[in-house]
Amino acid sequence: MIQRDYKGFIGLDLDGTVFNNEKRISVGSREAIREAINRGYCVAPITGRPMLGVPEEMMSVPGIEYAVVSNGAVIYQIEDFAQKKWKRIYEDLLPDEKVLEVLGILKEYPVVPDCFVQGVGHMPEYGRKWIPEMGLAKAMVDYLLSGREFYPDLEEYVRQESRQVEKVTINFYLNEEGREKKQEVYGRLGQVEGITLVSGAPHNLEVNTVTARKGNGMLKLAQMLGIAPENTMACGDDGNDLDMIQKAGFGVAMGNAVQPLKQAADFVTKSNEEDGAAYAIEKFMERMESR
């Protein structure tokens, strides 16, 4: 890994943070990221998405060389994102027995599990039909169905696959029954030892190892790059961002963030429809450079 004398580290969630509600990055956020890189900061996405789900619109910003994906389970160094030239420099993966225990419980519920393996999401075949019926925004439906591989029996896939699962995302119907089932599943999975359970969006729950969290992934990459924890910023909007908001030197909640994030943050910025990520980046650089 190339060692550089970075001024600091800027970790950005994607959905609901850098990206607006149409899953597009604003001109303001893109320019703020470019400016931060030009001024000597390392900027990296810290996302719940798998590697192949990270939008090229983000990774095409010149100077983004790292990505923390699957809620901190995997860190990549990027050589050429468009050409899919990247390498894993850290991973924290789920044991097969834990994945199978989770999938066994989920069989009792009307949900669509999504197992991330080697940067790709893997769903049961019925996900093709159920995902468009779940009441999600079209942009989210398109994301959930793009780049996925589908299997008649997801448990059998996990048993046969030699490579371990990074994360399990559980997708629920976005209606009253779905919300009730989400709470019920949260209670059931909360009794499973050896996993972390968070919500990354109103329609989902996300399962990782106990140590695979966004904050841990952020600090691991910062350590690899020689950046002190107090010189890090994290910006997010939902439950799976809480860990990095709490552990960053400068934790930022979006204006559209859930209340627990706002309460934990050092700073609450504007919403994802108002260039909130760009505003936060500017505040962080002012803070760093006024020392």
Side-chain angles (χ1 to χ4, degrees):
M1 185 182 304
I2 298 174
Q3 293 292 323
R4 299 184 184 176
D5 187 18
Y6 289 108
K7 288 183 180 178
F9 178 87
I10 298 172
L12 300 171
D13 173 55
L14 298 181
D15 299 300
T17 300
V18 172
F19 286 87
N20 63 22
N21 296 338
E22 298 301 317
K23 304 297 181 187
R24 302 299 304 273
I25 184 171
S26 71
V27 172
S29 292
R30 187 180 179 88
E31 288 307 310
I33 292 169
R34 186 194 297 269
E35 176 66 15
I37 292 169
N38 289 341
R39 284 163 65 173
Y41 293 87
C42 178
V43 180
I46 303 182
T47 178
R49 292 181 180 224
M51 189 60 186
L52 287 177
V54 178
E56 187 167 355
E57 193 174 357
M58 173 71 176
M59 301 306 294
S60 64
V61 178
I64 294 183
E65 299 177 336
Y66 301 93
V68 182
V69 300
S70 295
N71 285 347
V74 184
I75 302 174
Y76 285 92
Q77 184 175 16
I78 314 298
E79 179 183 338
D80 186 329
F81 186 83
Q83 297 296 319
K84 296 183 172 59
K85 293 181 179 179
W86 51 60
K87 65 178 180 179
R88 290 186 171 213
I89 56 176
Y90 173 82
E91 58 184 26
D92 185 356
L93 309 179
L94 284 159
D96 288 351
E97 60 268 22
K98 289 300 175 185
V99 178
L100 293 171
E101 184 176 358
V102 168
L103 293 179
I105 292 170
L106 296 180
K107 285 197 298 187
E108 303 174 27
Y109 297 93
V111 301
V112 179
D114 189 7
C115 293
F116 297 175
V117 178
Q118 289 293 303
V120 181
H122 300 74
M123 286 186 180
E125 185 64 40
Y126 63 79
R128 295 182 193 268
K129 179 176 184 296
W130 286 23
I131 291 293
E133 298 174 348
M134 286 183 144
L136 309 177
K138 183 180 183 301
M140 179 57 69
V141 172
D142 292 344
Y143 158 66
L144 287 174
L145 294 181
S146 64
R148 294 304 193 269
E149 296 182 7
F150 295 87
Y151 294 85
D153 188 335
L154 194 58
E155 289 177 273
E156 187 61 24
Y157 164 76
V158 172
R159 292 189 187 97
Q160 297 297 325
E161 175 58 54
S162 61
R163 296 167 297 187
Q164 289 176 260
V165 173
E166 302 164 11
K167 187 185 89 164
V168 181
T169 299
I170 308 159
N171 297 287
F172 296 81
Y173 279 82
L174 200 56
N175 54 27
E176 186 59 35
E177 181 183 4
R179 285 185 282 273
E180 291 175 0
K181 296 299 184 186
K182 181 177 176 179
Q183 289 303 312
E184 188 175 338
V185 170
Y186 188 91
R188 290 281 303 279
L189 294 183
Q191 299 175 39
V192 177
E193 295 182 356
I195 65 170
T196 296
L197 185 62
V198 297
S199 177
H203 70 276
N204 81 16
L205 289 173
E206 302 177 345
V207 178
N208 287 92
T209 69
V210 171
T211 49
R213 305 186 182 198
K214 284 190 174 184
N216 289 348
M218 173 192 69
L219 292 180
K220 183 66 178 180
L221 178 54
Q223 179 188 41
M224 289 175 166
L225 298 174
I227 301 170
E230 59 267 25
N231 295 334
T232 62
M233 166 189 146
C235 186
D237 73 304
D238 219 321
N240 64 348
D241 301 316
L242 181 60
D243 186 63
M244 68 176 184
I245 297 300
Q246 292 173 325
K247 291 175 178 174
F250 186 55
V252 180
M254 298 295 293
N256 52 288
V258 296
Q259 196 58 33
L261 247 69
K262 291 181 177 180
Q263 292 172 345
D266 298 303
F267 178 69
V268 178
T269 187
K270 301 174 184 179
S271 78
N272 65 323
E273 294 289 325
E274 303 170 301
D275 285 344
Y279 188 60
I281 290 170
E282 291 166 5
K283 287 293 182 183
F284 176 64
M285 291 193 295
E286 289 174 7
R287 173 187 169 111
M288 289 289 295
E289 293 166 20
S290 66
R291 290 179 179 176

